[in-house]
Amino acid sequence: MANDQSSPLPLLAASGLCKSFGGIQAVKEASIEVRQGSITGLIGPNGAGKTTLFNLLSNFIRPDKGRVIFDGEPIQHLQPHQIAQQGLVRTFQVARTLSKLSVLENMLLAAQKQTGENFWQAQLQPHVVAKEEKQLQERAMFLLESVGLAKKADDYAGGLSGGQRKLLEMGRALMTNPKLILLDEPAAGVNPRLIDDICDRIQAWNREGMTFLIIEHNMDLVMSLCDRVWVLAEGQNLANGTPADIQTNSRVLEAYLGK
Ligand SMILES: Nc1ncnc2c1ncn2[C@@H]1O[C@H](COP(=O)(O)OP(=O)(O)O)[C@@H](O)[C@H]1O
Ligand SMILES: [Mg+2]
């Protein structure tokens, strides 16, 4: 289990986030904190605003109001790709993979900012570039192995199932060596046999220093994986605490049972 006491400053801290779509206030004054080294959960009934909150944290959607601090710096003024370069990456509830490329090519493209893209270096130091490409390829295959897709490396990504595409997206996110990875329902649509493997991998990556924020409906998974859980209902913070606190919190139970 992750050590969530290791750092006094949260790796990610958002406060006062608001977002309306027309008449619908999807997120209302929401806050969240993700401690360095933690596996933090974000739960809430359907339509609670969880995905919108992810979009606000990663600036895929601009907030009407609110603040997001990542690794000590405000990030709202940055584009999503710049935020990714700072080490905050996210996956989508419906995976976004490039279907006409192979699984391996999808992985390599995720790490595109590496030296191989530099034309002059390719001309002047081809051996350096070749070595880096080989290392990237090895890392890609290692990550594909850990998400159970190594045998599909040469298949078109378009031929993968929805669940496999989610695994590929997780692999793509990891190719960038992020500090924090936001996973939107990583287990949804994934073969139950694979879910345990994915949990093991998330824990292993966490032990290697990666921090996670995970939206997930599978409560067993949330409760076994996360060291802290934030609950959103109707766009607002309802509770946060340890999995044990959350499971017995009457306001949370009411929100889920719709009383
Ligand atoms: N782009 C959008 N345009 C209009 N309404 C949206 C949009 N995205 C989300 N919503 C609405 O915002 C609310 C929260 O949605 P969402 O963040 O997807 O919830 P969750 O991920 O918790 O299920 C819902 O009422 C949804 O219909
Ligand atoms: Mg969602």
Side-chain angles (χ1 to χ4, degrees):
M1 179 68 62
N3 172 10
D4 62 353
Q5 306 296 328
S6 56
S7 168
L9 272 181
L11 181 57
L12 180 75
S15 55
L17 285 174
C18 296
K19 183 69 197 177
S20 294
F21 299 107
I24 301 170
Q25 228 189 329
V27 172
K28 303 170 206 163
E29 297 287 341
S31 359
I32 191 160
E33 271 186 24
V34 179
R35 294 179 194 173
Q36 171 85 47
S38 71
I39 302 177
T40 299
L42 174 59
I43 66 169
N46 261 329
K50 304 179 297 296
T51 295
T52 304
L53 184 57
F54 263 26
N55 285 329
L56 298 177
L57 295 175
S58 50
N59 225 2
F60 277 84
I61 293 178
R62 295 194 67 81
D64 299 332
K65 198 161 100 38
R67 235 166 112 71
V68 184
I69 309 280
F70 174 63
D71 210 10
E73 305 281 343
I75 56 169
Q76 282 118 309
H77 59 290
L78 300 177
Q79 297 294 319
H81 73 273
Q82 295 172 312
I83 292 176
Q85 279 164 8
Q86 307 274 326
L88 194 174
V89 297
R90 54 86 57 91
T91 65
F92 290 86
Q93 188 168 354
V94 178
R96 297 181 171 186
T97 48
L98 300 165
S99 51
K100 300 241 168 77
L101 297 182
S102 76
V103 167
L104 180 60
E105 285 165 341
N106 264 273
M107 292 290 283
L108 294 174
L109 212 58
Q112 205 182 25
K113 66 180 185 294
Q114 313 288 334
T115 332
E117 290 304 301
N118 183 326
F119 174 79
W120 288 109
Q121 185 159 18
Q123 302 303 308
L124 300 171
Q125 298 179 294
H127 54 288
V128 173
V129 174
K131 187 167 167 234
E132 284 184 7
E133 275 174 5
K134 184 161 175 285
Q135 284 169 347
L136 278 183
Q137 193 127 351
E138 280 169 7
R139 177 162 173 78
M141 284 312 297
F142 169 76
L143 290 172
L144 284 176
E145 192 78 52
S146 58
V147 296
L149 288 176
K151 289 201 181 81
K152 304 262 178 196
D154 296 325
D155 294 7
Y156 282 119
L160 299 179
S161 70
Q164 287 169 329
R165 277 204 283 270
K166 300 204 82 151
L167 296 168
L168 175 55
E169 244 204 0
M170 210 186 298
R172 280 170 56 88
L174 286 157
M175 277 302 280
T176 65
N177 262 323
K179 294 178 192 147
L180 171 61
I181 168 163
L182 312 185
L183 301 177
D184 197 346
E185 300 196 25
V190 174
N191 186 330
R193 278 189 298 116
L194 263 179
I195 291 179
D196 282 348
D197 287 354
I198 293 176
C199 286
D200 290 348
R201 280 314 308 171
I202 289 175
Q203 281 172 324
W205 288 319
N206 179 247
R207 283 193 295 273
E208 288 165 20
M210 205 169 295
T211 303
F212 288 87
L213 175 61
I214 305 180
I215 296 176
E216 186 48 61
H217 280 296
N218 180 330
M219 280 305 138
D220 290 343
L221 191 152
V222 171
M223 297 304 166
S224 65
L225 214 49
C226 297
D227 32 39
R228 191 147 206 100
V229 179
W230 290 72
V231 188
L232 214 57
E234 296 176 4
Q236 292 178 299
N237 289 97
L238 192 69
N240 73 83
T242 63
D245 292 342
I246 294 302
Q247 270 174 310
T248 53
N249 182 310
S250 55
R251 295 182 68 201
V252 175
L253 296 174
E254 275 172 33
Y256 272 94
L257 298 173
K259 274 189 214 156

